Amino acid sequence: MMAGERAPAALQGGVAVLERSIAYALGSLAMVTPEALARPTPCRHWNLHDLLEHLHDSMAALQEAVEVGRIACAPGPAVEVPRPAGAVIPLVRDQAVRLLGAWANANGSVAVCVEDELVTTPLIAGAGAIEVAVHGWDVAEACGQHRPIPDELADELLDLSVLFIRGWDRPARFARPIAVPANAPPGDRLVAFLGRQPS
């Protein structure tokens, strides 16, 4: 493969794993009911409603990354818009579909501006895939459903997690890893590495 072809190939690989993560998360979102929004989640201090709001914001940032070529890490003060109970559910589903469409139609841009640094689009897609898939797992757990991340996807995300997550990410962004047997399924090893207790 020639050097000029590597960036599009890497972008396609990043988009493919992000697409599979979004598809998995959408399956978990289908389980959510308004009655479940007050339930606790594997994310400390967040109930399901809080988690869905966070997931919506994360996916909106990923869409901004591919459409505008930047991620605003320090947005201005949020304006609270009152929403009826349960409105967050279709909001997050719609955002997931928009995100999928935005990355499927990526224009081949190879870098995204994050604060003052340029980050390659495949890296942004990979980091986004981890975020979306693992929060999809969190959603299913909060709904009382055992829904493992598919083995092949979990294997890829675990490889990416080992590359992306550093000591300073814990305990701020992720809890300490949880020990699991070496022969545990890939999905269990992934969520355990990210500080979650497998089902």
Side-chain angles (χ1 to χ4, degrees):
M1 181 180 295
M2 297 181 64
E5 297 170 342
R6 287 183 190 139
L11 177 59
Q12 289 169 7
V15 170
V17 72
L18 179 59
E19 286 177 343
R20 287 156 50 216
S21 292
I22 294 170
Y24 168 78
L26 280 168
S28 296
L29 290 168
M31 303 173 180
V32 180
T33 63
E35 296 74 25
L37 292 176
R39 290 182 182 174
T41 72
C43 300
R44 289 180 300 174
H45 312 304
W46 280 354
N47 63 19
L48 184 52
H49 181 275
D50 297 334
L51 174 62
L52 291 178
E53 291 279 6
H54 168 75
L55 183 55
H56 174 270
D57 292 346
S58 295
M59 292 191 295
L62 286 167
Q63 182 177 347
E64 178 186 27
V66 73
E67 289 183 342
V68 184
R70 65 173 172 80
I71 294 179
C73 292
V79 177
E80 292 292 332
V81 179
R83 286 197 286 258
V88 69
I89 302 170
L91 194 71
V92 176
R93 289 177 187 155
D94 290 348
Q95 180 60 65
V97 173
R98 287 197 301 275
L99 175 61
L100 189 60
W103 278 87
N105 294 303
N107 62 10
S109 174
V110 295
V112 174
C113 184
V114 181
E115 292 187 326
D116 295 326
E117 295 187 16
L118 288 178
V119 180
T120 67
T121 354
L123 284 180
I124 293 290
I130 296 168
E131 174 95 354
V132 171
V134 174
H135 282 325
W137 183 87
D138 293 331
V139 168
E141 289 290 304
C143 292
Q145 301 295 319
H146 178 59
R147 190 165 184 267
I149 297 171
D151 287 354
E152 186 178 345
L153 175 60
D155 262 333
E156 291 181 55
L157 295 178
L158 185 55
D159 288 343
L160 290 170
S161 296
V162 170
L163 290 174
F164 291 158
I165 297 169
R166 296 289 181 257
W168 56 77
D169 289 315
R170 305 180 195 269
R173 294 181 60 224
F174 300 97
R176 296 180 187 279
I178 293 172
V180 293
N183 63 349
D188 285 359
R189 286 187 279 120
L190 173 63
V191 298
F193 180 74
L194 299 176
R196 290 151 167 85
Q197 181 63 56
S199 298

